[in-house]
Amino acid sequence: MVIESMERNPEISIRLFSDPHLLSTIRSTVEGLAKVVGFSEKSRGLLMLAIDEALANVIRHGYDGRTDEMIWVHLWRVREPRGIRIIIEDLGRSVAPEKIKGRDLSDVKPGGLGVHIIKETMNESCWEQRPEGGMRLTLVKWLSPEELQNVTPTKPENTFP
Amino acid sequence: MNQELVIEQKIIGDMIVLRPAGDIDMARSSAIRKAVTEVVRTRPAKLVIDLTAVDYMDSSGIATMIEALQSSMRNKMKFVLVGVGPKVRSAFEITKLVGMFTICDTVEEAAK
């Protein structure tokens, strides 16, 4: 996997089956890393929701609900600006990124909320077709100015490479 | 949380309260959907979903709440959510759906 401007290997990499029962494990991991970075409880909740929606979309649309396919999740802490980067890769059905859109929320109906949640939560969300098949989703979220104020960069536990 | 969703059901007067316990996500939202469908079939005056023991809900859970609201309206039933915690509230807020629902702090308040 080659990622532009990705100078470091992922700090956490997880390979999981496309089984919805495993999503809670990934949510916990993301929440744990987000806490280390300094995200507030509310932001951590939204981050968990965004990654959950992204993985659910892979299972539902990329793999048509099959539970024995592969998904890769890679996580980084980002230094400047401080935040978190998440990459999700799969080998499922590939779709043109411009076709991935959130729906109009004024039409109140069940379903189709995942992409909206991802875009609202994350500072960056970028879907790409992988040359080897499947999709790659890159998600980035930075600390808000308020969250940044609560982080003391001089403390050893708050610094990272 | 990895266990299946446990859903308690209580009948209080002409109101039925469903109390799921656990995360409501893609793996578990079908259980609450099924429970709602069964309750709506009996047409109580009011359906209450008590989310006090639900720490997390994803968009499949929200979709289930929209379905419950819509089927309650179709059947002339009142639909109330109770005990909406901060993470669940955030999910409703980000989808701009929080105003669609009647939300009470307690089941007693919902019964009024």
Side-chain angles (χ1 to χ4, degrees), chain A residues 22-77:
Chain A
L22 299 174
L23 296 184
S24 59
T25 310
I26 303 298
R27 289 199 298 270
S28 303
T29 305
V30 169
E31 186 180 30
L33 188 63
K35 196 170 185 177
V36 170
V37 172
F39 283 103
S40 66
E41 190 180 359
K42 185 174 184 181
S43 292
R44 294 200 301 272
L46 289 171
L47 262 169
M48 285 162 69
L49 187 60
I51 193 161
D52 204 42
E53 297 297 336
L55 290 168
N57 279 348
V58 170
I59 296 169
R60 199 175 283 127
H61 304 298
Y63 289 134
D64 293 325
R66 294 189 300 279
T67 58
D68 57 352
E69 304 285 354
M70 282 296 149
I71 303 175
W72 292 265
V73 180
H74 308 290
L75 305 165
W76 290 260
R77 289 173 291 176

XYZ file of all heavy atoms in Angstrom, chain A residues 22-77:
444
model
N -18.095 -7.560 14.404
C -16.738 -7.118 14.753
C -16.617 -5.597 14.808
O -15.582 -5.067 15.204
C -15.727 -7.672 13.722
C -15.659 -9.202 13.637
C -14.743 -9.632 12.505
C -15.184 -9.800 14.952
N -17.658 -4.891 14.403
C -17.560 -3.424 14.322
C -17.306 -2.779 15.680
O -16.609 -1.778 15.778
C -18.832 -2.837 13.693
C -19.106 -3.232 12.237
C -20.339 -2.502 11.717
C -17.916 -2.938 11.348
N -17.861 -3.362 16.729
C -17.677 -2.755 18.059
C -16.205 -2.777 18.469
O -15.737 -1.884 19.178
C -18.540 -3.471 19.096
O -18.201 -4.831 19.154
N -15.468 -3.788 18.010
C -14.036 -3.876 18.316
C -13.278 -2.722 17.679
O -12.406 -2.106 18.305
C -13.483 -5.214 17.766
O -14.325 -6.256 18.212
C -12.074 -5.463 18.218
N -13.627 -2.407 16.438
C -12.948 -1.309 15.744
C -13.338 0.028 16.380
O -12.497 0.911 16.561
C -13.315 -1.304 14.229
C -12.969 -2.662 13.596
C -12.596 -0.166 13.506
C -11.508 -3.030 13.638
N -14.610 0.152 16.745
C -15.045 1.394 17.414
C -14.220 1.651 18.673
O -13.764 2.763 18.917
C -16.528 1.306 17.802
C -17.483 1.359 16.638
C -18.885 1.745 17.096
N -19.512 0.824 18.013
C -20.265 -0.217 17.656
N -20.467 -0.467 16.373
N -20.820 -0.992 18.554
N -14.026 0.594 19.452
C -13.257 0.734 20.705
C -11.822 1.149 20.422
O -11.252 1.984 21.137
C -13.239 -0.587 21.474
O -14.533 -1.010 21.720
N -11.227 0.567 19.389
C -9.835 0.900 19.050
C -9.721 2.358 18.629
O -8.818 3.078 19.077
C -9.342 -0.022 17.896
O -9.524 -1.378 18.294
C -7.890 0.229 17.567
N -10.642 2.793 17.784
C -10.618 4.186 17.322
C -10.832 5.130 18.503
O -10.140 6.150 18.635
C -11.696 4.418 16.227
C -11.859 5.897 15.929
C -11.311 3.674 14.964
N -11.759 4.780 19.370
C -12.012 5.646 20.524
C -10.758 5.746 21.401
O -10.397 6.825 21.875
C -13.195 5.160 21.352
C -13.506 6.164 22.451
C -14.666 5.786 23.350
O -14.898 4.587 23.554
O -15.300 6.717 23.868
N -10.087 4.612 21.577
C -8.875 4.603 22.409
C -7.794 5.513 21.846
O -7.196 6.324 22.574
N -7.555 5.414 20.545
C -6.516 6.252 19.930
C -6.942 7.728 19.946
O -6.112 8.617 20.201
C -6.229 5.785 18.496
C -5.025 6.464 17.837
C -3.729 6.138 18.575
C -4.895 6.074 16.366
N -8.215 7.971 19.706
C -8.713 9.356 19.706
C -8.549 9.991 21.089
O -8.269 11.184 21.200
C -10.175 9.384 19.276
N -8.675 9.188 22.117
C -8.492 9.692 23.476
C -7.032 10.085 23.696
O -6.731 11.134 24.277
C -8.915 8.612 24.481
C -9.139 9.127 25.868
C -9.787 8.066 26.748
C -10.109 8.641 28.111
N -10.786 7.688 28.980
N -6.125 9.256 23.203
C -4.690 9.557 23.319
C -4.366 10.876 22.604
O -3.591 11.699 23.095
C -3.850 8.395 22.719
C -2.382 8.784 22.607
C -4.000 7.145 23.567
N -4.975 11.089 21.449
C -4.715 12.306 20.666
C -5.253 13.547 21.384
O -4.667 14.626 21.296
C -5.336 12.171 19.243
C -5.254 13.484 18.482
C -4.628 11.069 18.465
N -6.356 13.387 22.109
C -6.898 14.532 22.847
C -8.303 14.945 22.425
O -8.741 16.040 22.765
N -8.990 14.088 21.682
C -10.359 14.427 21.276
C -11.296 14.377 22.486
O -11.138 13.540 23.377
C -10.858 13.437 20.209
C -10.299 13.704 18.847
C -9.272 12.925 18.335
C -10.797 14.736 18.067
C -8.743 13.173 17.083
C -10.279 14.993 16.809
C -9.245 14.208 16.312
N -12.287 15.259 22.484
C -13.281 15.292 23.559
C -14.179 14.059 23.451
O -14.200 13.364 22.431
C -14.137 16.554 23.417
O -14.899 16.468 22.219
N -14.959 13.838 24.493
C -15.870 12.685 24.488
C -16.855 12.771 23.322
O -17.130 11.777 22.655
C -16.613 12.614 25.825
C -17.377 11.315 25.969
C -18.128 11.200 27.281
O -18.037 12.125 28.102
O -18.820 10.188 27.449
N -17.354 13.976 23.066
C -18.311 14.143 21.969
C -17.655 13.826 20.620
O -18.214 13.110 19.790
C -18.874 15.568 21.981
C -19.947 15.757 20.936
C -20.626 17.087 21.017
C -21.745 17.132 19.977
N -22.455 18.377 19.939
N -16.437 14.358 20.409
C -15.735 14.092 19.146
C -15.416 12.614 18.997
O -15.484 12.059 17.896
C -14.422 14.882 19.079
O -14.686 16.253 18.979
N -15.054 11.973 20.104
C -14.746 10.540 20.041
C -15.986 9.745 19.637
O -15.911 8.812 18.838
C -14.219 10.037 21.397
C -12.884 10.638 21.791
C -12.167 9.790 22.837
N -12.894 9.602 24.070
C -12.843 10.411 25.121
N -12.087 11.492 25.084
N -13.521 10.141 26.219
N -17.128 10.156 20.178
C -18.380 9.489 19.823
C -18.673 9.632 18.332
O -19.061 8.670 17.665
N -18.439 10.830 17.807
C -18.703 11.059 16.380
C -17.694 10.310 15.499
O -18.049 9.798 14.438
C -18.675 12.559 16.076
C -19.870 13.342 16.633
C -19.657 14.843 16.476
C -21.169 12.917 15.945
N -16.437 10.252 15.964
C -15.422 9.481 15.220
C -15.808 8.012 15.140
O -15.692 7.369 14.084
C -14.069 9.604 15.922
C -13.094 10.634 15.391
C -11.936 10.803 16.359
C -12.553 10.233 14.017
N -16.259 7.473 16.264
C -16.697 6.068 16.291
C -17.841 5.859 15.313
O -17.889 4.869 14.582
C -17.173 5.696 17.704
C -16.055 5.495 18.697
S -16.672 5.585 20.393
C -17.645 4.105 20.512
N -18.754 6.833 15.308
C -19.909 6.734 14.415
C -19.457 6.764 12.951
O -19.912 5.959 12.131
C -20.861 7.895 14.715
C -22.214 7.910 14.028
C -23.029 6.675 14.379
C -23.001 9.160 14.425
N -18.520 7.670 12.639
C -18.071 7.814 11.244
C -17.385 6.541 10.749
O -17.658 6.064 9.640
C -17.131 9.014 11.119
N -16.498 5.986 11.566
C -15.780 4.776 11.101
C -16.732 3.588 11.029
O -16.640 2.739 10.137
C -14.524 4.470 11.954
C -13.669 3.432 11.228
C -14.865 4.001 13.343
C -12.257 3.361 11.662
N -17.679 3.559 11.948
C -18.687 2.500 11.934
C -19.507 2.557 10.643
O -19.766 1.536 9.997
C -19.594 2.729 13.152
C -20.285 1.476 13.608
O -19.628 0.428 13.634
O -21.473 1.543 13.942
N -19.909 3.776 10.270
C -20.693 3.950 9.042
C -19.868 3.560 7.815
O -20.381 2.935 6.884
C -21.161 5.402 8.907
C -22.096 5.881 10.008
C -23.409 5.115 10.060
O -23.817 4.554 9.038
O -24.011 5.081 11.148
N -18.585 3.932 7.833
C -17.722 3.601 6.688
C -17.587 2.086 6.537
O -17.688 1.545 5.422
C -16.354 4.250 6.876
N -17.383 1.399 7.653
C -17.236 -0.055 7.594
C -18.564 -0.728 7.224
O -18.586 -1.694 6.459
C -16.726 -0.582 8.942
C -15.276 -0.211 9.272
C -14.957 -0.517 10.728
C -14.296 -0.921 8.363
N -19.647 -0.204 7.761
C -20.969 -0.763 7.430
C -21.249 -0.623 5.930
O -21.797 -1.534 5.299
C -22.057 -0.071 8.246
N -20.827 0.507 5.344
C -21.017 0.701 3.906
C -20.200 -0.311 3.096
O -20.662 -0.807 2.069
C -20.617 2.121 3.502
C -21.731 3.122 3.788
O -22.862 2.735 4.078
N -21.395 4.397 3.727
N -18.977 -0.591 3.557
C -18.151 -1.602 2.867
C -18.863 -2.957 2.898
O -18.986 -3.641 1.871
C -16.751 -1.724 3.527
C -15.999 -2.931 2.963
C -15.943 -0.449 3.322
N -19.352 -3.320 4.084
C -20.013 -4.633 4.222
C -21.291 -4.674 3.379
O -21.537 -5.615 2.623
C -20.344 -4.915 5.709
C -19.051 -5.012 6.526
C -21.168 -6.196 5.851
C -19.253 -5.023 8.038
N -22.085 -3.613 3.491
C -23.404 -3.585 2.853
C -23.309 -3.455 1.337
O -23.941 -4.209 0.599
C -24.195 -2.403 3.438
C -25.676 -2.477 3.245
C -26.383 -1.324 3.953
N -26.488 -1.520 5.386
C -26.091 -0.635 6.310
N -25.549 0.512 5.961
N -26.239 -0.890 7.589
N -22.492 -2.502 0.878
C -22.465 -2.210 -0.564
C -21.272 -2.853 -1.273
O -21.398 -3.319 -2.397
C -22.437 -0.690 -0.788
C -23.575 0.011 -0.124
N -24.892 -0.220 -0.449
C -23.605 0.933 0.879
C -25.680 0.528 0.311
N -24.918 1.233 1.137
N -20.104 -2.850 -0.624
C -18.920 -3.428 -1.271
C -18.985 -4.938 -1.339
O -18.623 -5.558 -2.343
N -19.448 -5.544 -0.251
C -19.458 -7.010 -0.158
C -20.874 -7.604 -0.137
O -21.030 -8.791 0.174
C -18.694 -7.446 1.094
C -17.193 -7.255 1.007
C -16.476 -6.685 2.064
C -16.478 -7.662 -0.119
C -15.096 -6.527 1.995
C -15.099 -7.512 -0.191
C -14.419 -6.935 0.870
O -13.048 -6.789 0.796
N -21.893 -6.802 -0.408
C -23.290 -7.293 -0.443
C -23.670 -8.089 0.802
O -24.392 -9.102 0.713
C -23.519 -8.158 -1.698
C -23.441 -7.334 -2.966
O -23.861 -6.166 -2.938
O -22.944 -7.860 -3.982
N -23.144 -7.682 1.934
C -23.514 -8.337 3.192
C -22.748 -9.614 3.513
O -23.007 -10.227 4.547
N -21.827 -10.008 2.636
C -21.048 -11.226 2.940
C -20.153 -10.959 4.149
O -19.571 -9.882 4.274
C -20.186 -11.637 1.728
C -20.988 -12.080 0.518
C -20.088 -12.686 -0.558
N -19.084 -11.753 -1.038
C -19.313 -10.794 -1.966
N -20.514 -10.650 -2.491
N -18.340 -10.002 -2.369
N -20.040 -11.932 5.021
C -19.327 -11.709 6.290
C -17.925 -12.325 6.305
O -17.251 -12.255 7.337
C -20.135 -12.311 7.465
O -20.332 -13.704 7.218
C -21.466 -11.621 7.626
N -17.499 -12.906 5.198
C -16.201 -13.597 5.203
C -15.186 -12.935 4.267
O -14.250 -13.565 3.804
C -16.387 -15.076 4.826
C -17.074 -15.240 3.473
O -17.537 -14.220 2.907
O -17.149 -16.379 2.975
N -15.390 -11.660 3.976
C -14.459 -10.925 3.113
C -13.514 -10.088 3.985
O -13.755 -9.913 5.167
C -15.228 -10.014 2.148
C -16.254 -10.728 1.280
C -15.640 -11.526 0.144
O -14.405 -11.443 -0.040
O -16.393 -12.222 -0.550
N -12.469 -9.540 3.361
C -11.446 -8.840 4.131
C -11.605 -7.310 4.098
O -11.899 -6.732 3.059
C -10.056 -9.176 3.577
C -9.556 -10.530 4.019
S -9.350 -10.529 5.799
C -9.690 -12.239 6.118
N -11.369 -6.711 5.228
C -11.298 -5.244 5.339
C -10.032 -4.914 6.125
O -9.689 -5.615 7.082
C -12.523 -4.666 6.090
C -13.835 -5.072 5.401
C -12.438 -3.144 6.173
C -15.092 -4.645 6.159
N -9.330 -3.877 5.686
C -8.124 -3.432 6.391
C -8.376 -2.017 6.939
O -8.888 -1.157 6.221
C -6.930 -3.379 5.450
C -6.488 -4.734 4.986
C -5.501 -5.519 5.511
C -7.018 -5.487 3.856
N -5.384 -6.699 4.810
C -6.300 -6.712 3.786
C -8.029 -5.262 2.924
C -6.558 -7.679 2.815
C -8.287 -6.226 1.959
C -7.552 -7.409 1.922
N -8.017 -1.820 8.186
C -8.154 -0.503 8.820
C -6.788 -0.075 9.346
O -6.134 -0.834 10.068
C -9.167 -0.542 9.995
C -9.294 0.838 10.635
C -10.531 -1.027 9.523
N -6.333 1.102 8.934
C -5.030 1.624 9.368
C -5.244 2.958 10.081
O -6.022 3.789 9.611
C -4.104 1.839 8.167
C -3.981 0.636 7.287
N -3.329 -0.509 7.679
C -4.472 0.395 6.042
C -3.400 -1.406 6.696
N -4.093 -0.883 5.700
N -4.529 3.148 11.174
C -4.722 4.356 11.995
C -3.396 5.047 12.262
O -2.385 4.382 12.536
C -5.344 3.974 13.342
C -6.662 3.185 13.315
C -6.934 2.576 14.676
C -7.804 4.082 12.905
N -3.420 6.350 12.184
C -2.263 7.185 12.505
C -2.686 8.342 13.398
O -3.785 8.884 13.220
C -1.684 7.862 11.255
C -0.991 7.041 10.260
C 0.354 6.888 10.103
C -1.593 6.302 9.176
N 0.624 6.094 9.013
C -0.553 5.722 8.439
C -2.920 6.066 8.782
C -0.789 4.926 7.307
C -3.154 5.276 7.681
C -2.098 4.722 6.959
N -1.813 8.746 14.304
C -1.957 10.065 14.901
C -1.284 11.042 13.950
O -0.238 10.732 13.375
C -1.245 10.113 16.260
C -1.957 9.302 17.329
C -1.154 9.240 18.588
N 0.052 8.441 18.409
C 0.991 8.287 19.344
N 0.876 8.881 20.499
N 2.064 7.552 19.112
